[in-house]
């Protein structure tokens, strides 16, 4: 699917450039629409053409199809290459920054002669941009903030973006040299399911005579920008996507466990582990665990035996951060964390009734394929206008469609009728209680006023007896938006008091693992959701489970790792308790 993303970016870029040049708004809108369609395509774009799927999509015309085919053949689009030459390179780069649109750059270009990034930043800082009509100090401050977020996002990318990139490399290696490989794993921060990732550390165990072939295959991976090191034990490449560095290390099978442990980290976890080994007269490194005096190998083939020989319970990778896990492992009190295969349903997804790409039926079929027992369709409510939110009247029509789909698939999956209702600025909800009570499950989220402290808004929403879940509680979107300030202690307290759960929104990584851990410690219930806007995004709950594990969550902490009856009871209990 990386191809889809790259092609979507090309269309988005063409739209930006045309907007910068002041071209026909109709053409600009068309390109943006095509970009959105491509990004949400449930299959690879090549497959979409072969199977004929793409011809059925509204909004893809002949000239768009020609560009797509051209991209599939050549890897780019000629028109795009032509457009690019009309705008200074550095201004193109700046268009990626949140808060800097082509319109802003056009003004800077025309009125201040800005041609480079440096020029632009200078114009921001010396006040010359702020003086122009339509700008002002506040807007300039916002742009500077956006630049900072963008810079961070260049250094580390979110797990949800990194994960498929790494998986693709692993799949490629398995296909190309799988016969020579005994074990393969992505180690480092990705294995720990850390929220953001700097680079990938792939580890392979294989008999030494095969190592060269494996490294040769690795440096021939098609989506590489640059080969930085092509060795026999270690190779390093730069991936095209997000310019990520990716290392490959090959080790002997007898060192697999020790190497995996070492390269999984975290660094602080490893340092602490080394101390403990030392106290026990052992030496630990990436080759194994050894008797410090005799040098005799005592462990190394598996990770389990590495921890066991140190007198510890096995520590799941997700919690290896030296934040108490080592002490807990020594006392054998690490709880059993919720498993990746334990989610029984997904309670947050959108359809083409609001801003999703797929129909209710398509989402349902995809959830059946995910192996879920239940699912919730949760489209936006009316005040989310940009997201095509539903009025009460449209919700009634949607309910009829859900009824129809239930008749067809009801024996395979339970379909909950849900809503992501907007929390209004005063903390009241965007739909009347008479309607809210009709839903099987209600998620309430904030989609406005991201710069103010929103604690009181959330608390008030939680007091509504029909609100079961707070969606993406911090309003974070990595690389785009820092979350709003929140007094999380008070949020947790209110969640407990009212019987409201908090969301682990997988795509936004909100809650993050630290907040998850706090919630778990307090006994607040959590729900791992995808917030999918197309069938292609349903897989992301895997990221959410990873974050939950990082937050030490157990099965009983996660509502949607429980049978449907538990969720029904959770809903009923709150209504009973807070009866109006
Ligand atoms: P990242 O890449 O910043 O997202 O995070 P990591 O944890 O993947 O860090 P990275 O790629 O620098 O190193 C991968 C693993 O290798 C790391 O988690 C632990 C191990 N490692 C790296 N440097 C050291 C070190 O100086 N001491 C120890 N004990 N382990 C290290
Ligand atoms: Ca790394
Ligand atoms: Zn939302």
């Amino acid at each position: 699917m990386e191809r889809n993303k790259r092609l979507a970016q090309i269309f988005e870029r063409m739209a930006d450039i045309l907007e910068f040049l002041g071209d026909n708004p109709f053409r600009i809108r068309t390109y943006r629409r095509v970009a959105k369609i491509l990004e949400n395509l449930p299959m690879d774009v090549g497959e979409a053409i072969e199977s004929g799927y793409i011809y059925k999509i509204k909004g893809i015309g002949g000239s768009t199809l020609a560009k797509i085919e051209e991209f599939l053949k050549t890897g780019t689009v000629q028109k795009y290459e032509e457009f690019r030459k009309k705008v200074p390179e550095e201004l193109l780069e700046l268009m990626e920054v949140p808060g800097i649109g082509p319109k802003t750059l056009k003004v800077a270009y025309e009125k201040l002669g800005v041609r480079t990034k440096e020029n632009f930043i200078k114009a921001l800082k010396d006040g010359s941009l702020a003086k122009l009509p339509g700008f002002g100090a506040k807007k300039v401050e916002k742009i500077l903030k956006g630049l900072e977020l963008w810079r961070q996002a260049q250094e580390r990318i979110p797990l949800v973006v990194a994960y498929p990139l790494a998986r693709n490399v692993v799949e490629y290696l398995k296909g190309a040299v799988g016969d020579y490989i005994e074990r393969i794993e992505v180690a480092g921060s990705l294995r720990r399911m850390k929220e953001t990732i700097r680079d990938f550390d792939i580890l392979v165990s294989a008999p030494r005579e095969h190592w060269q072939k494996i490294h040769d295959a690795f440096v021939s991976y098609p989506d590489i920008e640059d080969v930085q090191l092509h060795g026999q034990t270690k190779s390093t490449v730069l991936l095209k996507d997000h310019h990520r560095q990716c290392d490959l290390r090959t080790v002997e099978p007898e060192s697999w466990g020790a190497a995996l442990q070492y390269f999984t980290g975290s660094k602080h976890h490893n340092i602490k582990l080394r101390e403990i080994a030392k106290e026990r007269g052992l030496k630990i490194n990436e080759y194994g665990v050894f008797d410090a005096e005799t040098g005799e190998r005592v462990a190394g083939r598996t990770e389990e035996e590495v921890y066991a020989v140190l007198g510890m319970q096995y520590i799941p990778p997700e919690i290896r951060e030296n934040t108490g896990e080592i002490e807990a492992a020594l006392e054998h009190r690490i709880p059993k964390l919720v498993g990746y295969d334990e989610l029984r349903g997904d309670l947050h997804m959108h359809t083409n009734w609001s801003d999703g790409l797929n129909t209710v039926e398509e989402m349902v079929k995809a959830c059946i394929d995910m192996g879920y027992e239940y699912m919730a369709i949760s489209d936006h409510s009316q005040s989310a206008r940009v997201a095509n939110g539903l009025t009460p009247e449209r919700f009634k029509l949607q309910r009829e469609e859900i009824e129809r789909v239930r008749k067809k698939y009801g024996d395979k999956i339970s379909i909950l009728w849900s809503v992501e209702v907007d929390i209004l600025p005063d903390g009241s909800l965007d739909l009347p209680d008479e309607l809210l009570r009709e839903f099987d499950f209600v998620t309430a989220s904030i989609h406005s006023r991201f710069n103010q402290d929103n604690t009181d808004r959330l608390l008030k929403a939680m007091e509504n007896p029909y609100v079961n879940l707070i969606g993406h509680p911090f309003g974070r979107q990595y690389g785009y938006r820092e979350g709003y300030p929140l007094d999380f202690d008070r949020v947790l307290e209110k969640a407990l008091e009212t019987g409201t759960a908090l969301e682990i929104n997988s795509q936004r990584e909100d809650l993050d693992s630290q907040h998850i851990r706090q919630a778990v410690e307090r006994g607040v219930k959590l729900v791992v959701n995808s917030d999918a806007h197309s069938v292609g995004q349903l897989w992301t709950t895997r990221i959410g489970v990873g974050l939950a594990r990082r937050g030490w969550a157990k099965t009983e902490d996660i509502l949607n790792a429980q049978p449907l009856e538990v969720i029904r009871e959770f809903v009923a209990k709150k209504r009973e308790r807070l009866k109006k």
Side-chain angles (χ1 to χ4, degrees):
M1 310 285 261
E2 290 312 315
R3 274 210 298 200
N4 300 8
K5 239 177 236 160
R6 225 173 291 142
L7 185 57
Q9 243 167 28
I10 288 181
F11 275 96
E12 196 67 55
R13 270 320 171 66
M14 288 200 288
D16 285 344
I17 294 169
L18 289 181
E19 201 166 349
F20 180 87
L21 299 172
D23 198 272
N24 168 5
F26 177 75
R27 190 148 73 135
I28 296 168
R29 265 202 306 277
T30 303
Y31 283 167
R32 292 213 196 280
R33 193 156 1 123
V34 171
K36 196 160 180 218
I37 291 171
L38 287 168
E39 208 171 304
N40 289 307
L41 219 53
M43 63 189 85
D44 178 75
V45 56
E47 222 176 292
I49 286 204
E50 265 168 43
S51 66
Y53 180 93
I54 206 147
Y55 303 105
K56 288 186 237 148
I57 302 175
K58 234 181 21 198
I60 301 233
S63 70
T64 302
L65 269 175
K67 289 189 186 71
I68 295 176
E69 279 163 2
E70 188 190 345
F71 171 81
L72 289 174
K73 258 189 235 133
T74 66
T76 187
V77 175
Q78 202 44 46
K79 196 109 201 183
Y80 167 63
E81 300 298 333
E82 278 166 33
F83 282 179
R84 284 175 61 116
K85 295 200 188 97
K86 299 183 183 175
V87 184
E89 187 68 38
E90 293 196 13
L91 296 193
L92 274 177
E93 206 182 309
L94 282 174
M95 286 183 194
E96 283 178 24
V97 178
I100 305 182
K103 283 201 197 96
T104 298
L105 291 171
K106 186 177 165 66
V107 172
Y109 179 84
E110 284 172 357
K111 298 266 154 54
L112 304 172
V114 166
R115 299 282 184 281
T116 65
K117 225 188 308 182
E118 203 186 327
N119 280 169
F120 184 68
I121 292 171
K122 190 162 162 280
L124 287 168
K125 294 199 164 150
D126 69 11
S128 48
L129 195 70
K131 281 195 209 103
L132 296 178
F135 281 86
K138 232 181 166 162
K139 180 151 185 197
V140 166
E141 197 186 317
K142 217 173 139 195
I143 293 175
L144 282 167
K145 183 99 212 165
L147 266 169
E148 182 51 35
L149 285 171
W150 180 73
R151 232 179 251 137
Q152 283 172 17
Q154 302 296 100
E155 273 172 34
R156 307 187 65 86
I157 62 172
L159 177 63
V160 68
V161 173
Y163 195 87
L165 299 184
R167 197 181 42 196
N168 288 347
V169 180
V170 169
E171 286 311 312
Y172 161 81
L173 282 173
K174 280 185 181 164
V177 284
D179 288 348
Y180 306 121
I181 290 176
E182 245 173 55
R183 308 282 308 261
I184 179 163
E185 201 81 61
V186 185
S189 48
L190 194 111
R191 183 160 181 251
R192 303 199 311 280
M193 300 297 264
K194 195 174 152 120
E195 281 83 345
T196 63
I197 307 289
R198 185 173 50 101
D199 56 30
F200 303 131
D201 311 274
I202 299 180
L203 197 66
V204 161
S205 82
R208 195 177 281 268
E209 72 250 35
H210 298 317
W211 288 6
Q212 194 63 63
K213 285 175 282 207
I214 296 168
H215 284 277
D216 292 348
F218 177 64
V219 301
S220 314
Y221 183 60
D223 289 336
I224 281 176
E225 188 167 87
D226 187 29
V227 176
Q228 294 174 329
L229 180 73
H230 181 181
Q232 218 190 60
T233 54
K234 186 184 170 192
S235 294
T236 298
V237 302
L238 212 56
L239 300 180
K240 268 189 205 153
D241 291 300
H242 302 272
H243 315 291
R244 284 309 97 181
Q245 183 180 313
C246 181
D247 292 350
L248 174 77
R249 287 185 179 81
T250 38
V251 299
E252 301 271 13
E254 67 166 8
S255 294
W256 168 254
L260 183 59
Q261 196 291 316
Y262 181 88
F263 290 110
T264 296
S266 67
K267 195 169 154 189
H268 295 290
H269 174 90
N270 287 356
I271 290 170
K272 180 88 186 176
L273 214 62
R274 221 158 34 220
E275 280 172 23
I276 295 201
K278 215 165 161 189
E279 286 165 15
R280 292 174 180 244
L282 298 168
K283 207 183 107 198
I284 179 170
N285 58 31
E286 62 264 54
Y287 303 104
V289 187
F290 305 90
D291 185 308
E293 265 176 34
T294 66
E296 185 199 350
R297 164 192 290 273
V298 294
R301 188 170 280 275
T302 67
E303 258 190 339
E304 282 77 6
E305 77 183 27
V306 169
Y307 284 101
V309 84
L310 296 172
M312 286 183 199
Q313 188 183 0
Y314 178 75
I315 303 179
E318 295 88 343
I319 60 171
R320 296 182 195 168
E321 297 290 344
N322 194 24
T323 53
E325 77 282 4
I326 291 180
E327 293 77 0
L330 283 166
E331 295 169 9
H332 289 256
R333 54 176 173 82
I334 291 181
K336 185 175 173 299
L337 306 180
V338 59
Y340 288 100
D341 55 358
E342 282 187 48
L343 281 198
R344 293 165 182 257
D346 186 339
L347 299 181
H348 187 169
M349 67 191 75
H350 300 271
T351 71
N352 59 359
W353 279 91
S354 65
D355 59 346
L357 189 78
N358 292 102
T359 62
V360 172
E361 181 166 354
E362 284 164 345
M363 293 309 272
V364 167
K365 284 207 281 203
C367 283
I368 294 171
D369 289 342
M370 293 283 295
Y372 288 145
E373 295 165 21
Y374 53 82
M375 62 183 292
I377 298 287
S378 58
D379 276 306
H380 288 285
S381 61
Q382 54 199 356
S383 82
R385 282 214 187 80
V386 281
N388 190 24
L390 276 69
T391 57
E393 290 68 38
R394 285 183 69 218
F395 269 117
K396 281 176 196 139
L397 294 175
Q398 188 207 30
R399 179 182 209 168
E400 289 169 17
E401 175 165 350
I402 288 187
E403 274 308 331
R404 276 197 301 276
V405 178
R406 269 181 187 154
K407 288 214 177 80
K408 214 162 151 188
Y409 299 95
D411 56 331
K412 296 201 180 70
I413 194 166
S414 302
I415 306 164
L416 304 188
W417 186 41
S418 182
V419 52
E420 182 181 10
V421 62
D422 237 53
I423 300 174
L424 301 175
D426 66 355
S428 66
L429 299 171
D430 192 23
L431 293 173
D433 282 358
E434 301 82 71
L435 179 55
L436 287 177
R437 65 186 305 167
E438 299 295 317
F439 290 98
D440 297 301
F441 191 88
V442 173
T443 295
S445 314
I446 286 179
H447 293 114
S448 58
R449 308 207 181 180
F450 293 102
N451 297 317
Q452 65 180 43
D453 183 310
N454 280 315
T455 311
D456 289 332
R457 260 171 107 185
L458 284 191
L459 298 194
K460 183 153 178 225
M462 282 191 267
E463 276 165 7
N464 183 297
Y466 306 110
V467 169
N468 309 116
L469 179 69
I470 296 298
H472 44 75
F474 278 85
R476 300 201 312 162
Q477 255 179 324
Y478 184 77
Y480 296 96
R481 201 162 55 214
E482 255 177 355
Y484 35 69
L486 210 57
D487 184 339
F488 195 55
D489 260 338
R490 286 177 64 210
V491 172
L492 290 174
E493 201 178 285
K494 184 61 82 181
L496 272 182
E497 176 197 316
T498 56
T500 312
L502 301 181
E503 183 179 58
I504 301 175
N505 187 299
S506 301
Q507 298 197 71
R508 295 171 179 238
E509 303 179 5
D510 176 9
L511 302 172
D512 64 23
S513 59
Q514 284 188 25
H515 290 116
I516 293 169
R517 195 166 174 187
Q518 287 175 35
V520 167
E521 273 162 17
R522 293 285 293 275
V524 170
K525 294 292 179 217
L526 300 164
V527 176
V528 175
N529 282 332
S530 67
D531 194 359
H533 285 67
S534 69
V535 295
Q537 294 173 345
L538 287 167
W539 72 271
T540 56
T541 47
R542 188 173 181 85
I543 301 300
V545 176
L547 296 177
R549 287 169 63 83
R550 264 178 89 70
W552 294 56
K554 308 170 292 301
T555 310
E556 64 259 37
D557 298 314
I558 309 294
L559 216 46
N560 55 333
Q562 320 283 331
L564 181 56
E565 302 81 77
V566 175
I567 293 173
R568 296 247 192 238
E569 209 173 292
F570 187 81
V571 170
K573 247 191 185 153
K574 180 169 183 181
R575 290 185 180 195
E576 187 57 35
R577 190 145 38 134
L578 299 185
K579 221 181 221 161
K580 279 188 176 169

